[in-house]
Amino acid sequence: MTAAENVCYTLINVASDSEPPSEVSLKTDLEKGEIKAKTEALKKVIVMILNGEKLPGLLMTIIRFVLPLQDHTIKKLLLVFWEIVPKTTPDGKLLQEMILVCDAYRKDLQHPNEFIRGSTLRFLCKLKESELLEPLMPAIRACLEHRHSYVRRNAVLAIYTIYRNFEHLIPDAPELIHDFLVNEKDASCKRNAFMMLIHADQDRALDYLSTCIDQVHTFGDILQLVIVELIYKVCHANPSERARFIRCIYNLLQSSSPAVKYEAAGTLVTLSSAPTAIKAAAQCYIDLIIKESDNNVKLIVLDRLIELKDHPTHERVLQDLVMDILRVLSTPDLEVRKKTLQLALDLVSSRNVEELVIVLKKEVIKTNNVTEHEDTDKYRQLLVRTLHSCSVRFPDMAANVIPVLMEFLSDTNEAAAADVLEFVREAIQRFDNLRPLIIEKMLEVFHAIKTVKIYRGALWILGEYCSTKEDIQNVMTEVRRSLGEIPIVENEIKKETGELKAEDEVSAAPAQKLVTEMGTYVTQSALSSSRPSKKEEDRPPLRGFLMDGDFFVAASLATTLTKLALRYVSIVQDKKKQNSFVAEAMLIMVTVLHLGKSSLPKKPITDDDVDRISLCLKVLSECSPLMNDIFNKECRRSLSHMLTVRLEEEKLSQKKESEKRNVTVQADDPISFMQLTAKNEMTSKEDQFQLSLLAAMGNTQRKEAADPLASKLNKVTQLTGFSDPVYAEAYVHVNQYDIVLDVLVVNQTSDTLQNCTLELATLGDLKLVEKPSPLTLAPHDFANIKANVKVASTENGIIFGNIVYDVSGAASDRNCVVLSDIHIDIMDYIQPASCTDAEFRQMWAEFEWENKVTVNTNITDLNEYLQHILKSTNMKCLTPEKALSGFCGFMAANLYARSIFGEDALANVSIEKPIHLGPDAPVTGHIRIRAKSQGMALSLGDKINLSQKKANI
């Protein structure tokens, strides 16, 4: 049994480099030294005893020369010494010397100094020998009437522990403490006394509470907390008592102490499902979140609100409180805001959506005025996404939201503007009645757009949805305004007359690696001309983008102009106007092509963009019905199909969530009897106080596989061979931040093994917490040794070591058995997670560690291989199911996971089925893993390699 499992009251830091003193020098210091020397010697004795030394010869010396001293430091040290020193002989009888100690403590219990009395009473709580306590009982009882509250409250604790461990020493303790409680005035004494009655005699505690139930709100917070605990326990054991105490819990919701309010709200929810009770508890939680300054507290209480929302009957009550919940948005912390918005979005209904949208619009406008906070941009993104979701679910709201959000298309933060653009694109496709409004607003802000990506998106929307003659002409006007005077090349040369040299040196720029949406690479090379830079403030936006060498926007412009021209031809009957518009569109494309081929831009136009613009010119020159159909109908159909698929996926995920929450009971389901229910089935019936205590101590059981015994056996690692003198095997239990090794050691010899020690060392980001203590094993005996290992990050770790022992009676050196290595699996720390495509690409670009794994497997089906990788790496596939369905001979998918330490892991699977090798040919390809830390990337790669080998067997 390790020290971690023993009940430990005293922790003392020991300097590891100090030399242990001899018993003789300690004895001299304790007998003849000054007070300071005796203090230091006593400290050394305590440390040595904690390290396993016995020192029996010093016991009488301490009783004779140290115990009578009145120095307070010595008295405090003696309390520690008597707590840890062995008090019995090997056969279990009390040492004779302890009678002298007992007499000394009887005197201390009658000492005039209240500190000495109180600390002695605290020490008595730790004694486990009834023979020592029996003579002290009258003195302990007398301390209940001491004038000082410190002595009285410790006397209550001493009586409680003695009554719990040795009831025969003080059989009338509950009655004694009840009488004490009735007359006591001090809050801490009353709290300790009441706590004792709860655990020792609940009926007496209830009797006392009944007499003062109307005064509970006037009590101190420490007593109120204990009263909440009692009410919970009583009502948990006997539900018929609820009506008696529920009014008291309601009163405690108004307590001045946040801790009492929190506990009272939690208790109220477990005691009653009435809408008024749930509303009162939720209101209390919301007040706590708003008033508490600590963000961790806010997040914990928000989690409680989310738990309430997950209960089907409570959700409707919380819907009425959405506006109160939104008050939490005043908190500057992004995580709190994120959870609040998600909760509000889950609770939104047709009754409150209008108010919700008004609040969110105000918040969006506020973010426009506040720029100093670093999370403002991210918060704005969250607000935009929330408004987007509201508008999709409640189309009536879109008309109110769109004008406010359109202003943010000109935002310098590209991510927030991209979210707005995505929302506008979906709104204009779904809501026909809003198209004129959106196009009008889009034309208003078009010239102010600052980023090229948003500009491209805005061009596409205008080209796709402008259907009237006026709108088409307005778009053309805006494009000409944004492009400046044409032809561009001549205009630029005129501006730079005298500065530009005709033959500039043209140099090849280094190849640039781009990442596509699938996470795969595209290499883009470019030519750039070296020439003097000039001021570009006066350039219109589109010309500025083209002069910077960004000709992808030119390809987008060409497509937009083609769509507009084809639509204009179909609307306007006048041939002259038709030809004029088409000619203007073609002129713009030609002048852009000319600019791209010249040496003026920083980077010349790419071949892809040239092909696209040339294609658009050809389409406009021919105006065939087929091309008209492709440009004006097929593009929109593709968008519509994509939005429909996305909506179906969202509905499917929402349906799964609601199915999880709705508990359906079938007619033939077995009836559950509480008395016959197994412990693991009593989810709602478990004592919440007990559960929270277990969670704090780290004893919560993780959900194992269907058969818990089988899953436990799967984690047993054999450390030595069956023919070794000592057989050892370890069960590896992984908690969140630490690993517990439960090692079974079996003596397979006929000798007694002394000082049998498990020596461990670690490799990787693991740290051994303590050295396991030595054991003595009888012939063919066995024992369990536990060792704790702390984990700091997500990477594969190795624990290795040996077992050393002495054979009883043998003169040989120590024997050693080397143990097999224990490999700590990274999968215990990795959990599937999800992120948006934009976030994935951003992380992919930022993370510097990449591990490329070659696919080597006998699996012949692409989808089967992907599922095998997902199962073995615990990652989540971000690529939609629709994109992976069908068979085309290759597959690309993005995977994502997050560790319990908050580290992200990305993977891109690019695999193909070599059809030319026949139907039984295995899958080939690569998997790229990216992570912020090297250990994570390497460990995941090793895991994939290992799982591939297993698949080969």
Side-chain angles (χ1 to χ4, degrees):
M1 197 174 188
T2 62
E5 282 190 295
N6 288 321
V7 177
C8 179
Y9 298 103
T10 310
L11 292 171
I12 294 173
N13 182 36
V14 186
S16 54
D17 55 348
S18 58
E19 197 66 34
S22 67
E23 195 171 330
V24 177
S25 64
L26 286 172
K27 199 168 187 176
T28 309
D29 284 346
L30 290 169
E31 284 181 11
K32 298 172 183 173
E34 295 292 318
I35 293 286
K36 196 171 180 183
K38 288 185 178 183
T39 305
E40 289 303 315
L42 193 53
K43 283 182 182 176
K44 288 174 185 171
V45 170
I46 289 168
V47 168
M48 288 172 76
I49 292 175
L50 283 173
N51 285 339
E53 301 285 344
K54 298 290 185 241
L55 305 177
L58 292 178
L59 187 61
M60 204 60 214
T61 307
I62 288 172
I63 290 171
R64 285 176 58 204
F65 296 102
V66 183
L67 195 56
L69 297 174
Q70 293 302 310
D71 181 74
H72 283 200
T73 309
I74 294 267
K75 283 197 173 290
K76 282 169 76 175
L77 287 170
L78 278 172
L79 293 176
V80 177
F81 174 76
W82 294 121
E83 182 190 331
I84 62 171
V85 77
K87 302 172 192 66
T88 55
T89 57
D91 57 355
K93 290 183 179 176
L94 195 69
L95 290 169
Q96 295 297 320
E97 294 91 337
M98 296 312 290
I99 303 300
L100 298 168
V101 179
C102 184
D103 186 57
Y105 281 117
R106 190 176 53 76
K107 288 175 184 171
D108 278 350
L109 286 174
Q110 295 164 348
H111 200 283
N113 184 305
E114 61 272 7
F115 168 73
I116 290 174
R117 276 204 194 197
S119 52
T120 307
L121 285 163
R122 285 176 77 87
F123 158 71
L124 295 180
C125 296
K126 303 166 190 176
L127 280 187
K128 296 288 179 283
E129 290 78 23
S130 59
E131 301 95 319
L132 281 176
L133 290 167
E134 195 170 0
L136 302 175
M137 291 317 298
I140 294 171
R141 281 171 176 264
C143 286
L144 280 176
E145 294 164 15
H146 194 271
R147 60 184 173 77
H148 204 284
S149 61
Y150 178 69
V151 177
R152 295 200 302 276
R153 70 167 175 262
N154 282 311
V156 173
L157 282 178
I159 288 172
Y160 171 41
T161 48
I162 293 166
Y163 177 75
R164 193 176 57 194
N165 296 327
F166 314 106
E167 193 177 331
H168 63 278
L169 292 180
I170 182 162
D172 62 337
E175 189 183 340
L176 181 71
I177 295 299
H178 182 266
D179 295 341
F180 168 81
L181 183 58
V182 170
N183 300 316
E184 183 55 57
K185 295 288 182 283
D186 181 74
S188 60
C189 297
K190 285 170 83 169
R191 181 249 183 208
N192 285 3
F194 195 71
M195 179 73 100
M196 177 191 160
L197 287 182
I198 288 175
H199 296 287
D201 190 344
Q202 216 170 74
D203 291 338
R204 286 184 192 273
L206 286 173
D207 288 344
Y208 172 73
L209 184 56
S210 306
T211 60
C212 60
I213 200 158
D214 295 328
Q215 287 91 44
V216 165
H217 62 279
T218 62
F219 292 166
D221 56 347
I222 54 173
L223 186 54
Q224 285 179 341
L225 278 171
V226 184
I227 288 171
V228 171
E229 184 182 346
L230 171 69
I231 292 173
Y232 177 81
K233 288 192 169 178
V234 169
C235 298
H236 182 261
N238 188 3
S240 60
E241 294 278 357
R242 287 178 181 178
R244 182 177 165 195
F245 295 112
I246 206 148
R247 175 53 50 198
C248 179
I249 292 290
Y250 267 112
N251 290 339
L252 288 174
L253 288 178
Q254 311 305 320
S255 171
S256 57
S257 163
V260 174
K261 288 169 79 169
Y262 177 76
E263 291 295 346
T267 303
L268 184 59
V269 170
T270 57
L271 296 188
S272 172
S273 298
T276 48
I278 301 303
K279 190 171 184 178
Q283 196 70 59
C284 180
Y285 281 145
I286 294 164
D287 289 344
L288 279 174
I289 298 168
I290 292 164
K291 288 174 184 171
E292 277 299 307
S293 56
D294 190 336
N295 288 330
N296 293 321
V297 174
K298 289 177 189 283
L299 289 169
I300 290 166
V301 183
L302 264 173
D303 284 338
R304 296 305 293 264
L305 274 175
I306 292 165
E307 280 174 31
L308 273 184
K309 179 261 304 178
D310 289 340
H311 200 288
T313 55
H314 299 164
E315 191 171 2
R316 190 169 175 81
V317 178
L318 284 175
Q319 283 176 353
D320 298 334
L321 297 171
V322 166
M323 299 314 292
D324 291 321
I325 291 169
L326 287 175
R327 287 161 58 205
V328 180
L329 291 176
S330 57
T331 308
D333 184 68
L334 188 68
E335 197 61 35
V336 174
R337 285 170 160 178
K338 195 174 183 177
K339 272 196 174 178
T340 307
L341 285 172
Q342 187 56 52
L343 178 61
L345 194 57
D346 291 342
L347 292 172
V348 73
S349 66
S350 52
R351 290 177 297 150
N352 55 28
V353 66
E354 201 168 331
E355 294 171 323
L356 174 76
V357 166
I358 290 167
V359 173
L360 294 181
K361 276 164 64 178
K362 283 180 183 172
E363 286 294 317
V364 170
I365 293 162
K366 270 189 213 168
T367 63
N368 205 20
N369 305 329
V370 180
T371 50
E372 66 271 7
H373 201 278
E374 57 186 20
D375 286 334
T376 305
D377 291 338
K378 289 179 183 174
Y379 179 44
R380 191 181 302 154
Q381 271 180 271
L382 283 175
L383 290 167
V384 169
R385 286 176 189 172
T386 310
L387 283 167
H388 182 172
S389 303
C390 285
S391 302
V392 171
R393 282 168 60 183
F394 303 97
D396 299 347
M397 292 295 108
N400 298 333
V401 173
I402 286 165
V404 178
L405 292 187
M406 294 285 269
E407 300 294 328
F408 289 96
L409 282 175
S410 57
D411 198 348
T412 48
N413 176 21
E414 189 179 290
D419 280 336
V420 174
L421 194 71
E422 193 179 321
F423 168 47
V424 169
R425 186 184 68 184
E426 190 167 343
I428 203 168
Q429 170 64 20
R430 284 218 177 126
F431 314 129
D432 293 350
N433 57 323
L434 294 178
R435 281 179 190 171
L437 171 70
I438 293 174
I439 287 166
E440 183 192 336
K441 285 283 174 191
M442 183 73 84
L443 288 167
E444 278 178 25
V445 298
F446 188 72
H447 68 280
I449 295 173
K450 296 179 180 68
T451 54
V452 67
K453 185 180 173 185
I454 308 306
Y455 200 93
R456 283 202 312 264
L459 270 175
W460 187 91
I461 289 171
L462 288 170
E464 191 63 55
Y465 294 100
C466 285
S467 51
T468 65
K469 178 185 167 186
E470 291 75 19
D471 285 343
I472 292 171
Q473 285 174 336
N474 288 339
V475 173
M476 183 59 90
T477 308
E478 283 297 333
V479 168
R480 288 294 299 266
R481 178 182 168 192
S482 185
L483 204 55
E485 194 178 328
I486 54 174
I488 301 170
V489 176
E490 287 179 21
N491 185 255
E492 285 294 318
I493 289 173
K494 280 177 189 173
K495 281 183 186 176
E496 296 190 4
T497 305
E499 297 173 25
L500 188 70
K501 292 179 182 176
E503 271 76 48
D504 274 330
E505 288 181 25
V506 177
S507 60
Q512 182 183 0
K513 270 195 174 179
L514 300 177
V515 185
T516 67
E517 290 206 5
M518 298 307 297
T520 51
Y521 292 122
V522 176
T523 305
Q524 177 185 348
S525 58
L527 293 171
S528 63
S529 55
S530 57
R531 54 190 183 74
S533 59
K534 73 180 272 304
K535 291 183 181 176
E536 297 163 8
E537 289 86 358
D538 54 339
R539 281 190 183 138
L542 183 53
R543 183 177 290 203
F545 299 144
L546 295 175
M547 292 303 287
D548 287 338
D550 195 334
F551 282 93
F552 189 27
V553 72
S556 180
L557 173 67
T559 310
T560 299
L561 291 173
T562 306
K563 287 178 186 175
L564 292 173
L566 290 172
R567 207 170 294 133
Y568 191 85
V569 168
S570 63
I571 294 169
V572 178
Q573 301 305 316
D574 187 345
K575 280 279 180 191
K576 191 177 177 185
K577 285 184 179 176
Q578 283 182 8
N579 292 339
S580 171
F581 191 91
V582 171
E584 188 175 4
M586 291 174 84
L587 174 64
I588 291 170
M589 292 185 217
V590 170
T591 190
V592 170
L593 262 179
H594 185 200
L595 175 68
K597 295 287 188 183
S598 74
S599 59
L600 291 174
K602 290 179 182 173
K603 286 185 279 187
I605 192 166
T606 61
D607 292 343
D608 285 347
D609 296 332
V610 169
D611 290 348
R612 184 70 172 172
I613 297 171
S614 304
L615 173 70
C616 291
L617 283 166
K618 188 171 171 58
V619 168
L620 284 182
S621 62
E622 292 175 359
C623 285
S624 70
L626 173 65
M627 285 296 147
N628 195 349
D629 191 53
I630 289 170
F631 271 83
N632 278 331
K633 290 182 184 170
E634 292 297 328
C635 291
R636 195 175 302 185
R637 206 169 291 150
S638 299
L639 174 66
S640 177
H641 181 61
M642 187 195 82
L643 293 176
T644 309
V645 168
R646 188 184 292 176
L647 194 65
E648 281 173 10
E649 282 178 4
E650 282 176 13
K651 281 181 178 172
L652 195 67
S653 63
Q654 282 174 3
K655 190 179 175 186
K656 282 180 184 173
E657 284 295 318
S658 62
E659 281 173 3
K660 275 183 197 172
R661 282 189 280 167
N662 293 336
V663 183
T664 51
V665 181
Q666 300 298 330
D668 58 346
D669 277 358
I671 297 169
S672 172
F673 292 96
M674 254 183 82
Q675 288 81 355
L676 306 176
T677 313
K679 265 189 180 180
N680 56 353
E681 292 171 24
M682 292 179 64
T683 48
S684 60
K685 307 290 184 288
E686 286 175 334
D687 187 336
Q688 296 300 317
F689 282 93
Q690 197 62 31
L691 282 178
S692 58
L693 180 64
L694 285 172
M697 291 164 64
N699 292 344
T700 44
Q701 291 296 313
R702 292 175 65 182
K703 287 181 182 173
E704 300 286 3
D707 181 359
L709 291 174
S711 67
K712 196 165 183 177
L713 287 172
N714 287 339
K715 293 187 177 179
V716 171
T717 309
Q718 187 177 333
L719 300 179
T720 64
F722 292 115
S723 58
D724 283 316
V726 176
Y727 171 75
E729 63 182 30
Y731 166 61
V732 183
H733 180 68
V734 179
N735 292 320
Q736 190 161 1
Y737 295 107
D738 66 338
I739 299 165
V740 179
L741 294 181
D742 190 348
V743 184
L744 171 69
V745 181
V746 182
N747 178 5
Q748 300 197 113
T749 67
S750 302
D751 300 313
T752 300
L753 305 184
Q754 293 179 328
N755 293 327
C756 183
T757 310
L758 175 67
E759 296 180 343
L760 295 173
T762 57
L763 195 67
D765 223 338
L766 305 172
K767 184 184 176 187
L768 195 65
V769 176
E770 60 180 339
K771 187 179 172 185
S773 49
L775 299 169
T776 300
L777 287 175
H780 304 290
D781 192 9
F782 65 89
N784 279 65
I785 303 173
K786 287 198 176 180
N788 283 52
V789 179
K790 287 286 173 197
V791 186
S793 69
T794 315
E795 60 178 270
N796 287 338
I798 299 172
I799 301 172
F800 54 94
N802 48 43
I803 293 175
V804 293
Y805 60 89
D806 297 325
V807 178
S808 179
S812 62
D813 293 335
R814 299 202 81 183
N815 298 285
C816 177
V817 178
V818 179
L819 306 177
S820 302
D821 296 346
I822 302 170
H823 291 265
I824 303 303
D825 193 355
I826 187 177
M827 288 306 103
D828 289 315
Y829 308 114
I830 287 183
Q831 297 160 344
S834 57
C835 65
T836 64
D837 285 347
E839 287 167 345
F840 184 91
R841 286 199 295 278
Q842 187 181 351
M843 286 190 282
W844 188 270
E846 286 173 2
F847 291 175
E848 53 197 31
W849 291 103
E850 178 173 299
N851 189 5
K852 186 177 178 183
V853 179
T854 305
V855 173
N856 176 21
T857 180
N858 60 358
I859 296 173
T860 57
D861 182 70
L862 295 174
N863 215 9
E864 188 187 336
Y865 180 77
L866 178 65
Q867 295 307 320
H868 174 71
I869 290 295
L870 291 176
K871 188 178 176 184
S872 56
T873 59
N874 225 8
M875 297 184 91
K876 182 179 180 179
C877 182
L878 299 179
T879 310
E881 192 66 39
K882 295 257 180 186
L884 299 173
S885 58
F887 180 77
C888 60
F890 64 89
M891 178 187 282
N894 291 335
L895 316 181
Y896 178 61
R898 185 180 284 130
S899 76
I900 56 173
F901 306 103
E903 299 166 302
D904 299 295
L906 314 175
N908 172 254
V909 179
S910 299
I911 49 177
E912 64 173 324
K913 169 90 172 170
I915 301 166
H916 62 281
L917 297 177
D920 295 330
V923 171
T924 60
H926 293 94
I927 299 169
R928 281 193 179 89
I929 300 154
R930 283 209 174 181
K932 198 170 268 185
S933 65
Q934 183 185 17
M936 183 92 154
L938 292 175
S939 301
L940 261 179
D942 292 345
K943 185 69 186 172
I944 289 172
N945 273 325
L946 199 64
S947 64
Q948 288 188 145
K949 286 171 188 167
K950 283 181 182 172
N952 270 322
I953 293 168

Coordinates of all heavy atoms in Angstrom, one line a residue, residues 858-892:
N858 N -3.3 -4.2 -46.1 CA -3.9 -5.1 -47.1 C -5.4 -4.9 -47.3 O -6.1 -5.6 -47.9 CB -3.7 -6.6 -46.5 CG -4.3 -6.8 -45.2 OD1 -4.9 -5.8 -44.6 ND2 -4.3 -8.0 -44.7
I859 N -5.9 -3.8 -46.7 CA -7.3 -3.4 -46.9 C -7.4 -2.9 -48.4 O -6.6 -2.1 -48.9 CB -7.7 -2.3 -45.9 CG1 -7.6 -2.8 -44.5 CG2 -9.1 -1.7 -46.2 CD1 -7.8 -1.7 -43.4
T860 N -8.5 -3.4 -49.0 CA -8.6 -3.1 -50.4 C -9.7 -2.0 -50.7 O -9.8 -1.5 -51.8 CB -9.0 -4.4 -51.2 OG1 -10.2 -4.9 -50.6 CG2 -7.9 -5.4 -51.1
D861 N -10.5 -1.6 -49.7 CA -11.6 -0.7 -49.9 C -11.2 0.7 -49.3 O -10.7 0.7 -48.1 CB -12.9 -1.2 -49.3 CG -14.0 -0.2 -49.6 OD1 -14.4 -0.1 -50.7 OD2 -14.4 0.4 -48.6
L862 N -11.3 1.8 -50.0 CA -10.9 3.1 -49.5 C -11.7 3.5 -48.3 O -11.1 3.9 -47.3 CB -11.2 4.2 -50.6 CG -10.3 4.0 -51.9 CD1 -10.8 5.1 -52.9 CD2 -8.9 4.2 -51.6
N863 N -13.0 3.3 -48.3 CA -13.8 3.7 -47.1 C -13.5 2.9 -45.9 O -13.5 3.4 -44.8 CB -15.3 3.6 -47.5 CG -16.1 4.7 -46.9 OD1 -15.6 5.6 -46.3 ND2 -17.4 4.6 -46.9
E864 N -13.3 1.6 -46.1 CA -13.0 0.7 -45.0 C -11.7 1.1 -44.4 O -11.6 1.1 -43.2 CB -12.9 -0.7 -45.6 CG -12.8 -1.8 -44.5 CD -12.5 -3.2 -45.1 OE1 -12.9 -3.4 -46.2 OE2 -11.9 -4.0 -44.3
Y865 N -10.7 1.5 -45.2 CA -9.4 1.9 -44.7 C -9.6 3.2 -43.8 O -9.0 3.3 -42.8 CB -8.4 2.2 -45.8 CG -7.0 2.6 -45.3 CD1 -6.2 1.7 -44.8 CD2 -6.7 3.9 -45.3 CE1 -4.9 2.1 -44.3 CE2 -5.4 4.3 -44.9 CZ -4.6 3.4 -44.3 OH -3.4 3.8 -43.8
L866 N -10.4 4.1 -44.4 CA -10.6 5.4 -43.6 C -11.2 5.1 -42.3 O -10.8 5.6 -41.2 CB -11.5 6.3 -44.4 CG -11.8 7.7 -43.8 CD1 -10.6 8.5 -43.6 CD2 -12.9 8.4 -44.6
Q867 N -12.3 4.2 -42.2 CA -12.9 3.9 -41.0 C -11.9 3.2 -40.0 O -12.0 3.4 -38.8 CB -14.1 3.0 -41.2 CG -15.3 3.6 -42.0 CD -15.7 4.9 -41.4 OE1 -15.8 5.0 -40.2 NE2 -16.0 5.9 -42.3
H868 N -11.0 2.4 -40.6 CA -10.0 1.7 -39.7 C -9.1 2.7 -39.1 O -8.8 2.6 -37.9 CB -9.2 0.7 -40.6 CG -8.1 0.1 -39.9 ND1 -8.3 -0.9 -38.9 CD2 -6.8 0.3 -40.0 CE1 -7.1 -1.2 -38.5 NE2 -6.1 -0.6 -39.1
I869 N -8.7 3.7 -39.9 CA -7.8 4.8 -39.3 C -8.5 5.6 -38.3 O -8.0 5.9 -37.2 CB -7.3 5.7 -40.5 CG1 -6.4 5.0 -41.4 CG2 -6.7 7.0 -39.9 CD1 -5.1 4.6 -40.7
L870 N -9.8 5.9 -38.5 CA -10.6 6.7 -37.5 C -10.7 5.9 -36.2 O -10.6 6.5 -35.1 CB -12.0 7.0 -38.1 CG -12.1 8.0 -39.2 CD1 -13.5 8.1 -39.7 CD2 -11.6 9.4 -38.8
K871 N -10.9 4.6 -36.3 CA -11.1 3.8 -35.1 C -9.8 3.7 -34.3 O -9.8 3.8 -33.1 CB -11.6 2.4 -35.5 CG -12.0 1.6 -34.3 CD -12.6 0.2 -34.8 CE -12.9 -0.7 -33.7 NZ -13.3 -2.0 -34.1
S872 N -8.7 3.5 -35.1 CA -7.4 3.3 -34.4 C -6.8 4.6 -33.9 O -5.9 4.5 -33.0 CB -6.4 2.5 -35.3 OG -6.3 3.3 -36.5
T873 N -7.1 5.7 -34.4 CA -6.5 7.0 -34.0 C -7.4 7.8 -33.1 O -7.0 8.9 -32.6 CB -6.1 7.9 -35.1 OG1 -7.2 8.2 -35.9 CG2 -5.0 7.2 -36.0
N874 N -8.7 7.5 -33.0 CA -9.7 8.2 -32.2 C -9.9 9.6 -32.7 O -10.3 10.5 -32.0 CB -9.2 8.3 -30.7 CG -10.3 8.1 -29.7 OD1 -11.3 7.6 -30.1 ND2 -10.0 8.3 -28.5
M875 N -9.7 9.8 -34.0 CA -9.9 11.1 -34.6 C -11.3 11.2 -35.3 O -12.0 10.2 -35.4 CB -8.8 11.4 -35.7 CG -7.4 11.5 -35.1 SD -6.2 11.9 -36.3 CE -6.1 13.7 -36.2
K876 N -11.7 12.4 -35.6 CA -13.0 12.6 -36.2 C -12.8 13.1 -37.7 O -12.0 13.9 -37.9 CB -13.8 13.7 -35.5 CG -15.2 13.9 -36.0 CD -16.0 14.9 -35.2 CE -17.4 15.1 -35.8 NZ -18.2 16.1 -35.0
C877 N -13.6 12.5 -38.6 CA -13.5 12.9 -40.0 C -14.3 14.2 -40.2 O -15.6 14.2 -39.9 CB -14.0 11.8 -40.9 SG -13.9 12.2 -42.6
L878 N -13.7 15.3 -40.7 CA -14.4 16.5 -40.9 C -15.0 16.6 -42.3 O -15.9 17.4 -42.5 CB -13.4 17.7 -40.8 CG -12.7 17.9 -39.4 CD1 -11.8 19.1 -39.5 CD2 -13.7 18.1 -38.3
T879 N -14.5 15.8 -43.2 CA -15.1 15.8 -44.6 C -16.5 15.2 -44.5 O -16.7 14.1 -44.0 CB -14.2 15.0 -45.5 OG1 -12.8 15.4 -45.3 CG2 -14.6 15.1 -46.9
P880 N -17.5 15.8 -45.1 CA -18.9 15.3 -45.0 C -19.0 14.0 -45.6 O -18.3 13.6 -46.6 CB -19.7 16.4 -45.8 CG -18.8 17.6 -45.9 CD -17.4 17.1 -45.8
E881 N -20.0 13.2 -45.2 CA -20.3 11.8 -45.7 C -20.6 11.8 -47.2 O -20.1 11.0 -47.9 CB -21.4 11.2 -44.9 CG -21.6 9.8 -45.1 CD -20.5 8.9 -44.5 OE1 -20.0 9.3 -43.4 OE2 -20.1 7.9 -45.1
K882 N -21.3 12.9 -47.6 CA -21.7 13.0 -49.0 C -20.5 13.1 -49.9 O -20.4 12.5 -51.0 CB -22.6 14.2 -49.2 CG -23.9 14.1 -48.5 CD -25.0 13.8 -49.5 CE -26.4 13.7 -48.7 NZ -27.4 13.2 -49.6
A883 N -19.4 13.8 -49.4 CA -18.2 14.0 -50.2 C -17.4 12.7 -50.3 O -16.6 12.5 -51.3 CB -17.4 15.1 -49.6
L884 N -17.6 11.8 -49.4 CA -16.8 10.5 -49.4 C -17.6 9.4 -50.0 O -17.0 8.3 -50.3 CB -16.5 10.1 -47.9 CG -15.7 11.1 -47.1 CD1 -15.6 10.7 -45.7 CD2 -14.3 11.3 -47.7
S885 N -18.9 9.6 -50.3 CA -19.7 8.5 -50.9 C -19.4 8.3 -52.3 O -18.8 9.2 -53.0 CB -21.2 8.8 -50.7 OG -21.5 10.0 -51.3
G886 N -19.7 7.2 -52.9 CA -19.4 6.9 -54.3 C -18.0 6.3 -54.4 O -17.3 6.2 -53.5
F887 N -17.7 5.9 -55.6 CA -16.4 5.3 -55.9 C -15.7 6.0 -57.1 O -16.3 6.0 -58.2 CB -16.5 3.8 -56.1 CG -15.1 3.2 -56.3 CD1 -14.3 3.0 -55.3 CD2 -14.7 2.9 -57.6 CE1 -13.0 2.4 -55.5 CE2 -13.5 2.3 -57.8 CZ -12.6 2.0 -56.8
C888 N -14.6 6.6 -56.9 CA -13.9 7.2 -58.0 C -12.4 6.8 -58.1 O -11.6 7.4 -58.8 CB -14.1 8.7 -58.0 SG -13.4 9.5 -56.5
G889 N -12.0 5.9 -57.2 CA -10.6 5.4 -57.3 C -9.7 6.2 -56.4 O -8.6 5.7 -56.2
F890 N -10.1 7.3 -55.8 CA -9.2 8.0 -54.9 C -10.1 8.7 -53.8 O -11.3 8.9 -54.0 CB -8.3 9.0 -55.5 CG -9.0 10.2 -56.2 CD1 -9.4 11.3 -55.5 CD2 -9.4 10.1 -57.5 CE1 -10.0 12.4 -56.1 CE2 -10.1 11.1 -58.2 CZ -10.4 12.3 -57.4
M891 N -9.5 9.1 -52.7 CA -10.2 9.7 -51.6 C -9.3 10.7 -50.9 O -8.1 10.4 -50.6 CB -10.7 8.6 -50.6 CG -11.5 9.2 -49.4 SD -11.9 7.9 -48.3 CE -13.3 7.1 -49.0
A892 N -9.8 11.8 -50.5 CA -9.1 12.8 -49.6 C -10.0 13.2 -48.5 O -11.2 13.5 -48.7 CB -8.6 14.0 -50.4

